[in-house]
Amino acid sequence: TPQTPMNGRDLLKTTGVATAGLLAGSVTAQTKQKKGGDPFRYCLNMSTIRGQELSVNEEVDVAGKAGYDAIEPWLGKLNDYKNNGGSLKDLRKRIEDHGLTVESAIGFARWIVDDDGQRAKGFEDARRDMDLLAQLGAKRIAAPPAGARGAVDPMAAAKRYRKLLEIGDEIGVVPQIEMWGGNPSIGRVSTAIYIAIEAGHSSACFLGDVYHRYKGGSDFAGLKMLGPQALQHFHWNDYPADPPLDKIGDQHRVFPGDGIAPIVDIARGFLQVGATPVLSLELFNREYWAMDALEAARIGLGKMKASVAPAL
């Protein structure tokens, strides 16, 4: 949690623009729900089919054939594709031909670390990654606390996040502050939102995750304090009752609705504050990696839609 929390009046005074956009009380927090239909868009995070070891083109084909609206690729694989002579122009056309968009991407630039040299390289890596994504028409990129081995002062993190956002302004891709449950720097929703608000930038937003919220110990009710600006993209998954919290890991994530997460309540909470984030299926389950990739993707999409249906 923040080390030097401010009272609400001072916080609004110093970061009014960002706060107004992030919190649910904002005038921008008006429902985007479509009458008589499902207002959410569904995205395939490529971690879900990573174990099948497909090519970048094959991953795009799976997402398109399975019926997703969007994809969330990993920068490591995209950089390998580019460095091995792959055409970003051709890849973008393939994505668009399937009717897909690149709503976000997963990168691990070390923008948050205290070491000046590592951080400078982290910003260079982030710029390179965002430039690649812009060529694919991508909208956002994850900004997790990669490389932070200990606690980072949240005010320092806010200044660094603002710099990352300013780089994104130049390129046209928005970095999303991401929490990793249990991380010493950004391990709770409240810390991520504090950093986003204190960055004082109108594009600041939050990349949430059902599993990471559980692992970090933040209550889902807190998401109802946020609005459409903060909640643009959300990792959609579930977790079982066993293993217990102190032993559960990324590999234990399951399809939405197959675990104990209050999925319907989360979806209802989004709608109550006028937010319809893109829901991205992010799993690392080895059982799913053993399946045919298209079958796993199709089952996942069906589970996603079924998990939010009671909230509509």
Side-chain angles (χ1 to χ4, degrees):
T1 55
Q3 296 178 5
T4 54
M6 303 169 69
N7 63 47
R9 181 175 298 176
D10 289 341
L11 189 60
L12 286 167
K13 240 190 259 184
T14 58
T15 57
V17 174
T19 304
L22 286 162
L23 300 183
S26 165
V27 293
T28 63
Q30 297 176 0
T31 183
K32 297 179 182 178
Q33 185 173 4
K34 300 172 186 176
K35 292 182 179 179
D38 185 341
F40 295 102
R41 299 184 71 238
Y42 297 94
C43 177
L44 179 62
N45 183 302
M46 294 309 177
S47 68
T48 303
I49 54 172
R50 187 170 72 183
Q52 285 85 342
E53 299 183 354
L54 305 179
S55 69
V56 169
N57 286 330
E58 288 171 333
E59 289 180 342
V60 171
D61 291 345
V62 165
K65 291 176 182 177
Y68 285 84
D69 302 301
I71 60 172
E72 187 173 21
W74 283 53
L75 263 305
K77 200 158 191 175
L78 289 177
N79 279 309
D80 287 344
Y81 169 83
K82 178 183 176 183
N83 294 337
N84 289 326
S87 167
L88 295 178
K89 181 179 179 181
D90 289 348
L91 181 58
R92 178 170 183 166
K93 184 178 185 304
R94 192 183 204 96
I95 293 167
E96 292 174 347
D97 285 349
H98 277 294
L100 299 164
T101 57
V102 185
E103 289 294 329
S104 183
I106 303 300
F108 300 98
R110 297 189 171 195
W111 62 274
I112 196 174
V113 298
D114 287 328
D115 182 272
D116 292 343
Q118 285 190 38
R119 191 169 66 254
K121 184 179 183 303
F123 283 123
E124 290 176 6
D125 291 343
R127 181 182 292 277
R128 178 204 66 208
D129 287 345
M130 285 191 273
D131 179 70
L132 185 157
L133 290 173
Q135 294 179 63
L136 296 179
K139 301 177 183 180
R140 309 173 190 89
I141 185 173
R149 297 183 178 179
V152 174
D153 177 75
M155 288 302 293
K159 292 178 181 178
R160 295 163 191 173
Y161 179 46
R162 182 182 177 90
K163 181 174 179 179
L164 199 63
L165 287 161
E166 290 170 347
I167 294 173
D169 283 344
E170 298 173 21
I171 298 172
V173 175
V174 177
Q176 310 162 94
I177 194 78
E178 182 179 14
M179 64 157 288
W180 285 346
N183 181 274
S185 294
I186 313 180
R188 298 180 68 86
V189 173
S190 56
T191 310
I193 297 303
Y194 181 90
I195 291 169
I197 290 174
E198 287 293 346
H201 191 289
S202 60
S203 294
C205 55
F206 169 61
L207 175 54
D209 185 301
V210 175
Y211 164 79
H212 277 302
R213 191 289 322 169
Y214 172 67
K215 185 69 175 176
S218 299
D219 196 290
F220 282 113
L223 296 175
K224 294 181 181 180
M225 295 183 66
L226 307 180
Q229 173 60 34
L231 299 168
Q232 299 182 31
H233 192 86
F234 210 94
H235 288 159
W236 209 239
N237 45 59
D238 209 331
Y239 46 84
D242 186 58
L245 182 60
D246 62 334
K247 291 183 173 60
I248 199 167
D250 282 318
Q251 71 274 19
H252 297 117
R253 301 185 194 195
V254 294
F255 287 128
D258 285 358
I260 61 170
I263 292 287
V264 177
D265 289 342
I266 300 168
R268 284 185 180 137
F270 290 155
L271 298 176
Q272 286 171 12
V273 299
T276 51
V278 175
L279 303 180
S280 183
L281 184 67
E282 187 184 57
L283 302 168
F284 301 85
N285 193 304
R286 288 171 175 78
E287 291 184 14
Y288 307 156
W289 287 352
M291 297 170 62
D292 174 77
L294 182 55
E295 180 186 8
R298 282 176 171 159
I299 291 173
L301 180 58
K303 296 276 188 179
M304 293 176 82
K305 291 182 176 182
S307 72
V308 304
L312 304 179

